[in-house]
């Protein structure tokens, strides 16, 4: 679909408020890194390179959430110079853990951390990239999964839709042959409402899923929350687990508000 | 931007560091009037929103402060909360924690050595460019990094934000046979790590020294990683020695619970982050500090490699104060961590339970560990139900910031005296000086947004 088919696609990696874990996941692709770098031109990736070339870019990977006025300007600029824009991780896709400020009085937060909060310029909210500009694809996870990240990059380079399943973590437990921690041990687990992608890591380690990949495509909280209660969680426990790494995801947000209304 | 006699240099975005920061330099004549490492990582308010969370949550939540050293956050949080609850984790559970931390040292240090720092010494913009001339060295680095990640994945489930750590230990502990496949990979990694020390030892190092106080955890019988007592080695100038002095000075210690009495953070006007000072003085944590304070306790092969690499023998009281050589110390620590991991795997017996119970109680607890970049301290106050009522996190970069700025000032000052460096040269020089310390700017638990001193442009 391009006029010069032999030109290497240009990749850019951008960061907003985040922990760098999702970009690091790209550098953690040790076996694929050098090969990938031959196929694409890494035009902008501050963490990995001191050389930065101006846009336009064929694919922009965006990590982190929007938390400052400058961020808002920057995200519009990035959209303007990117043919495709893909968000990587819970911060960019659902505001990240820093979106916990959305429920609080940010002035009070600032005063708790800083002696002179007036020096700090920040927005009252942490919002996902899609709240500001159109996004071509959102990859979930805190952090994103390495295999899924590679799939997303190669799919976009090949001009096809990434094969990233939208079902829940439960499917991955079944695929992996992991015994259900809820059924077997009565461990509260967010697997039924959480987006697949991690390979059901937590249940495999005997731990309930805590929802770090955000909501799956079909969630049924009215049926699900009573299960958490049966396994010992009270209202505040339910609210807290929904309000952690994907707190600004609409499904988790709505379900946590509903809990507090009870 | 250059004026006769006076100029301002502003590097808007530092590259090849973790997180986002910038540099600000103001020069009057031949004097550096101001050198500032500015951190414009937006505040994420961890300390504020930890209040009201359950005491079981900080290990998972604070790991999201930094994707490059999540284990450091998880284990500092565990130690602090266990301290508040009066619980000690020891034996094989402590050994597994140490093993996991070794994985993080290997992974994080190797990332810095090969992908972020080595390109400086070869005049390359990034590791991809470096791989064109030094393919074997880069591939060796990637393999080594993979070995570190393999440890974290095996014990923690995944390399970034592992899920298996909990208060009191782990959700699940491995059997002996599950650890076995790591051994082969680590034996290869030990060779790779030894070769890496030799490789970086051959780099061209500018003559430099630093006279910061050094702060690291220390233990009586081993190189401190996941526990220890804060130990200070004073700066050479306190003994009338030059900054380049390679002599060890007598150390002093204080308890982890007194950390906040000694390391005090203050907010600096017009600057960007809380600056921490140690008893009112500039200090440095991280590899140079650890090597100075505990170098003699490195594993024999790491100690030998350090001497062969020209770092001197710490058993004879030699320390390394050249920040550029921190890359060599990091490589030595990788070798030590690989060796230590092999030792821990060899001595491993699965504990009877994957964790000890940590019942909540009201109180304040402290935890400090050696993150790859330096000492990381956590303090939590809990109520009787185990709800966090207060949290203070002091990351290494907040502590190192004054020291980094002093290195910047000194470096630029020396270059001004010895010639007329261009802005581009100064920029490259400053970025290198910053990268020597591998600052982890994402650790922005309470870093500020930068306000650039625009008025300076009109001088
Ligand atoms: S989504 Fe999680 S891992 Fe990714 S940048 Fe945000 S906090 Fe880090
Ligand atoms: S099981 Fe759930 S919490 Fe655990 S890694 Fe997967 S999505 Fe995240």
């Amino acid at each position: 679909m391009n006029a010069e088919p032999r030109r290497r696609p240009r990749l850019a990696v951008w960061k907003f408020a985040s922990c760098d874990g999702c970009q690091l996941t790209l550098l953690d692709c040790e076996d694929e890194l050098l090969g990938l770098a031959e196929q694409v031109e890494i035009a902008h990736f501050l963490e990995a390179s001191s050389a930065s070339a101006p846009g336009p870019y064929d694919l922009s990977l965006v990590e982190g959430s929007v938390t400052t006025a400058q961020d808002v300007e920057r995200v519009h600029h990035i959209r303007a110079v990117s043919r495709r824009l893909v968000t990587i991780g819970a911060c960019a896709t659902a505001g990240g853990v820093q979106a916990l400020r959305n429920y609080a009085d940010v002035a009070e937060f600032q005063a708790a951390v800083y002696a002179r909060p007036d020096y700090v310029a920040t927005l009252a909210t942490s919002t996902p990239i899609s709240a500001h500009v159109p996004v071509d694809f959102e990859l979930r996870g805190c952090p994103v999964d390495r295999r899924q990240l590679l799939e997303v990059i190669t799919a976009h380079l090949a001009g096809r839709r990434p094969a990233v399943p939208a079902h829940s973590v439960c499917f991955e437990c079944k695929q992996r042959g992991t015994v259900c921690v809820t059924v077997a041990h009565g461990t509260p687990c967010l697997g039924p409402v959480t987006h697949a992608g991690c390979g059901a890591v937590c249940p495999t380690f005997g731990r309930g899923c805590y929802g770090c990949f955000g909501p799956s495509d079909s969630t049924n909280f009215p049926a699900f929350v009573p299960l958490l209660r049966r396994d010992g969680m009270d209202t505040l426990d339910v609210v807290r687990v929904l309000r952690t790494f994907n707190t600004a995801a609409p499904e988790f947000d709505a379900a946590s508000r509903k809990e507090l209304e009870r | 931007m250059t004026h006769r006699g006076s100029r301002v240099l502003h590097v808007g975005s530092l590259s090849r560091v973790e997180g986002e920061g910038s540099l600000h330099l103001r020069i009057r004549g031949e004097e550096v009037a101001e050198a500032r490492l500015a951190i414009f990582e937006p505040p994420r308010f961890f300390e504020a929103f930890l209040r009201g969370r359950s005491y079981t949550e900080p290990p998972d939540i604070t790991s999201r402060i930094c994707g490059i050293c999540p284990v450091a956050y998880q284990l500092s949080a565990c130690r602090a909360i266990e301290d508040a609850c009066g619980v000690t984790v020891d034996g094989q559970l402590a050994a597994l924690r140490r093993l996991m931390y070794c994985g993080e040292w290997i992974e994080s240090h190797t990332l810095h050595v090969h992908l972020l720092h080595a390109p400086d010494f070869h005049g390359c913009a990034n590791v991809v460019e470096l791989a064109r001339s030094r393919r074997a060295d880069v591939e060796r680095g990637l393999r080594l990094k993979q070995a570190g990640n393999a440890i974290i994945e095996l014990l923690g489930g995944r390399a970034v934000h592992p899920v298996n750590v909990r208060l009191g230990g782990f959700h699940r502990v491995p059997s002996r046979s599950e650890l076995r496949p790591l051994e082969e990979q680590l034996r290869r990694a030990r060779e790779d790590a030894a070769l890496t020390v030799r490789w970086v030892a051959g780099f061209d190092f500018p003559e430099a020294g630093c006279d910061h106080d050094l702060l690291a955890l220390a233990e009586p019988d081993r190189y401190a990683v996941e526990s220890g007592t804060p130990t200070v080695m004073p700066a050479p100038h306190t003994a009338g020695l030059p900054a380049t002095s390679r002599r060890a000075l007598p150390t002093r210690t204080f308890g982890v619970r007194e950390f906040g009495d000694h390391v005090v953070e203050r907010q600096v006007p017009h600057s960007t982050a809380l600056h921490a000072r140690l008893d009112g003085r500039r200090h440095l944590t991280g590899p140079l500090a650890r090597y100075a304070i505990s170098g003699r306790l490195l594993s024999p092969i790491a100690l030998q490699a350090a001497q062969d690499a020209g770092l001197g023998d710490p058993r004879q009281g030699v320390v390394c104060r050249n920040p550029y050589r921190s890359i060599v110390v990091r490589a030595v620590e990788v070798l030590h961590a690989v060796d230590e991991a092999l030792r821990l795997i060899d001595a491993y017996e699965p504990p009877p339970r994957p964790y000890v119970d940590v019942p909540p109680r009201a109180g304040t607890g402290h935890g400090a560990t050696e993150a790859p970049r330096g000492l990381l301290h956590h303090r939590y106050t809990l109520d009787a139900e185990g709800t966090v009522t207060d949290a203070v996190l002091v990351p290494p970069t907040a502590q190192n910031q004054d020291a980094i700025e002093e290195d910047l000032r000194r470096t630029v000052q020396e270059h001004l005296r010895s010639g007329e460096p261009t802005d581009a040269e100064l920029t490259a020089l400053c970025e290198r000086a910053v990268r020597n310390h591998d600052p982890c700017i994402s650790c922005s638990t309470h870093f500020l947004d930068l306000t650039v001193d625009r008025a300076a442009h009109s001088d």
Side-chain angles (χ1 to χ4, degrees), chain A residues 8 14-25 27-31 33-35 37-38 42 45-51 65 67-68 70-71 74 91 97-101 106 108-123 141-144 146 198 201-202 204-208 210 212-213 237 239-245, chain B residues 13-20 41-49 51-54 57 60-61 63-68 107 111 115-116 124-129 131-132 135 138-139 141-143 145-146 149 153-165 171-172 267-271 274 387 431 435 442 444-451:
Chain A
R8 283 188 306 163
W14 309 93
K15 173 185 159 68
F16 290 83
S18 71
C19 80
D20 282 39
C22 290
Q23 323 183 26
L24 177 65
T25 302
L27 299 179
D28 275 351
C29 300
E30 291 96 359
D31 289 333
L33 194 63
L34 295 179
E38 279 159 20
I42 299 177
F45 187 178
L46 263 189
E47 177 165 335
S49 179
S50 54
S65 67
T67 63
T68 67
Q70 295 96 301
D71 284 353
R74 203 155 60 93
C91 293
V97 68
Q98 52 274 9
L100 283 169
R101 72 173 71 185
V106 167
E108 194 273 331
F109 264 28
Q110 280 173 260
V113 180
Y114 302 103
R116 289 293 307 270
D118 48 314
Y119 296 154
V120 190
T122 187
L123 295 174
C142 179
V144 293
R146 189 187 301 172
C198 69
V201 179
C202 293
T204 306
F205 277 82
R207 172 181 191 178
Y210 58 90
C212 79
F213 271 62
D237 295 331
V239 171
R240 276 198 298 251
V241 76
L242 292 171
R243 292 186 175 180
T244 314
F245 306 111
Chain B
S13 292
L14 283 170
S15 60
R16 280 189 280 127
V17 295
E18 198 231 327
E20 306 222 305
E41 188 71 31
R44 292 167 73 208
F45 300 116
F46 278 87
E47 289 164 323
F49 61 64
R51 292 172 310 173
R53 304 296 299 208
S54 164
E57 294 182 286
D60 287 323
I61 292 181
S63 78
R64 268 66 180 190
I65 290 170
C66 175
I68 315 230
E107 186 277 326
L111 171 82
L115 277 68
L116 310 186
C124 295
N126 54 49
V127 70
V128 175
E129 215 178 276
R132 276 182 216 131
R135 182 90 186 188
V138 169
E139 282 180 351
L142 292 171
R143 218 162 42 226
K145 185 161 158 298
Q146 208 164 30
N149 278 338
E153 281 164 20
L154 195 128
L155 294 181
R158 61 182 173 193
V160 178
H161 307 324
V163 303
N164 191 29
V165 171
H171 290 276
R172 184 183 169 280
Q267 194 174 350
V268 216
H270 76 257
S271 180
L274 297 188
T387 303
E431 284 215 351
R435 279 188 212 110
S442 279
S444 54
T445 51
H446 40 224
F447 283 148
L448 305 184
D449 204 34
L450 168 65
T451 337

Side-chain angles (χ1 to χ4, degrees), chain A residues 127-148:
Chain A
T127 42
I129 303 301
S130 64
H132 303 272
V133 295
V135 167
D136 295 298
F137 189 81
E138 295 182 316
L139 184 62
R140 292 168 174 279
C142 179
V144 293
D145 177 78
R146 189 187 301 172
R147 286 149 303 200
Q148 289 205 330

